[in-house]
Amino acid sequence: MIPLSVLDLSVTTTATKASVALRNSIDLAVHIDGLGYVRYWTAEHHSLSSVASPAPDVMIGQIAAVTKHIHVGAGGVMLPNHAPLVVAERFKMLEALFPGRIDLGLGRAPGTDGTTAYALRSRLDRREGDDFLERLHELTLWETREFPDGHPYHNVIAMPDDVPLPPIWLLGSSDYSSELAAQVGMGFAFAHHFASHDAVTAMVNYRARFQPSRWRATPHAILAVAVVTAETDAEADRLASSMDLNRLRRDRGTYAPLPSPQEAQAYPYTDADRASIARNRKRLFVGSPATVMAKLKPMIEESQADELMVISAIFDHQARKRSYSLLAEAFGLKAP
């Protein structure tokens, strides 16, 4: 069966403050480590009351220190917010401390609004526009040390210099990142949970056009999906109602903490609201293990995914842990 991984946003709820959400992420990672999942990624978001973690590298170090088996990584570092040298140094440090267990996922988006993005970058440089490709190239040059003679960075060394950068993955929700990942020969992760672009097309094209490189000899495509699993379809649907209302508010520009199922079910939805929720449910995989497996299997096969990465934004922390346990059982994962 296909390997399973986790993408964790450290989601806050109306009952869980940001500091508690961060500790819950560490607790969840320990739980996941014992179930047979292969990867645990943390995200980068800024100035959002719904997401607690703006610093995936900090979370990676904390999680790697209390787990034993899973790969721990960024899903991802929003590269436009950071000097490539800083990213190289931090992830080489993590690789030195936890050799063979670190992943470096990179995203093009700022992970926030325009004003916050400006505040993050205003002291770095004055470049305008999408400079992701330029930053990615610079990041790889810190690893290869192929800055030409006379370049101001030629004699600068990304420390620690006796360990490599961990594996690099490009994240995306469109065809741009799939094309780029194939061209440069890196791993690729597609965000089906919020993408409007067709996941199957992006992932199949990535595999077909992949060029072997010093970074990867063969393609590896991760399909990231939103899943809510419970013992019954009815209970899973109740738990997923929190995500329904949360998404409805996000579409209106409100990034609030995740509401409880009770609040979501009592909300006075209009017909237009219900239609919007029904459209968004096409991005979610909700139900008992058997129901979820039946929904996931066609997309896994059509996309030719090498790995399934699951995000489960569930109000109750214990219910979220149970959801991942049920999914592990359904996929036949073996405890390490």
Side-chain angles (χ1 to χ4, degrees), residues 8 26 38 56 84 88 98 130 156 167 170 179-180 218 223 265-266 269 335:
D8 180 29
I26 295 173
V38 299
F98 309 101
D130 186 349
V156 181
L170 299 189
E179 293 277 356
L180 179 58
T218 58
L223 176 63
Q265 292 178 328
Y269 297 103

Side-chain angles (χ1 to χ4, degrees), residues 72-306:
V72 189
V77 169
M78 299 295 103
L79 191 54
N81 297 338
H82 308 280
L85 175 58
V86 172
V87 176
E89 288 182 330
R90 290 178 179 176
F91 276 82
K92 285 165 76 71
M93 281 187 66
L94 288 167
E95 181 66 22
L97 294 170
F98 309 101
R101 292 185 55 213
I102 304 300
D103 295 325
L104 173 53
L106 300 172
R108 293 173 58 216
T112 188
D113 62 276
T115 301
T116 307
Y118 179 82
L120 286 165
R121 305 174 193 174
S122 62
R123 299 287 180 173
L124 293 177
D125 54 47
R126 299 297 177 185
R127 288 178 288 186
E128 300 292 338
D130 186 349
D131 62 353
F132 176 80
L133 192 57
E134 180 183 348
R135 289 175 182 268
L136 176 63
H137 185 220
E138 182 182 324
L139 177 64
T140 63
L141 287 175
W142 289 118
E143 175 66 10
T144 63
R145 300 183 67 174
E146 292 176 350
F147 289 106
D149 291 340
H151 192 282
Y153 298 163
H154 179 70
N155 294 321
V156 181
I157 300 172
M159 296 295 290
D161 63 348
D162 61 334
V163 295
L165 273 177
I168 299 175
W169 304 76
L170 299 189
L171 317 182
S173 57
S174 69
D175 57 348
Y176 175 88
S177 293
S178 68
E179 293 277 356
L180 179 58
Q183 290 175 15
V184 299
M186 293 177 177
F188 175 58
F190 186 84
H192 172 270
H193 55 291
F194 66 79
S196 57
H197 188 79
D198 180 58
V200 172
T201 299
M203 294 185 68
V204 170
N205 284 347
Y206 161 74
R207 185 175 304 283
R209 302 180 184 185
F210 181 85
Q211 299 293 319
S213 70
R214 67 173 290 150
W215 311 108
R216 288 198 70 89
T218 58
H220 191 106
I222 299 175
L223 176 63
V225 295
V227 177
V228 176
T229 310
E231 277 78 3
T232 66
D233 289 347
E235 176 60 9
D237 191 68
R238 186 187 75 85
L239 295 174
S241 65
S242 294
M243 297 178 70
D244 293 336
L245 178 55
N246 191 250
R247 180 66 192 216
L248 187 67
R249 288 170 169 169
R250 285 185 58 187
D251 288 344
R252 295 171 177 171
T254 301
Y255 290 80
L258 189 71
S260 69
Q262 292 80 4
E263 178 184 348
Q265 292 178 328
Y267 188 85
Y269 297 103
T270 65
D271 289 343
D273 291 340
R274 296 187 185 281
S276 178
I277 288 171
R279 287 192 299 272
N280 186 58
R281 273 292 180 107
K282 295 178 182 179
R283 293 192 181 98
L284 305 182
F285 297 86
V286 179
S288 67
T291 298
V292 167
M293 289 292 288
K295 293 177 179 179
L296 283 172
K297 187 176 179 181
M299 175 163 284
I300 292 171
E301 292 177 348
E302 291 174 21
S303 67
Q304 302 175 37
D306 296 295

Side-chain angles (χ1 to χ4, degrees), residues 8-13 16-28 40 50-53 59 317 320:
D8 180 29
L9 303 184
S10 298
V11 173
T12 63
T13 77
T16 306
K17 300 297 185 182
S19 58
V20 177
L22 294 175
R23 292 193 289 271
N24 281 347
S25 288
I26 295 173
D27 179 68
L28 178 62
Y40 194 102
S50 56
V51 180
S53 175
M59 287 299 294
H317 182 58
R320 180 166 64 146

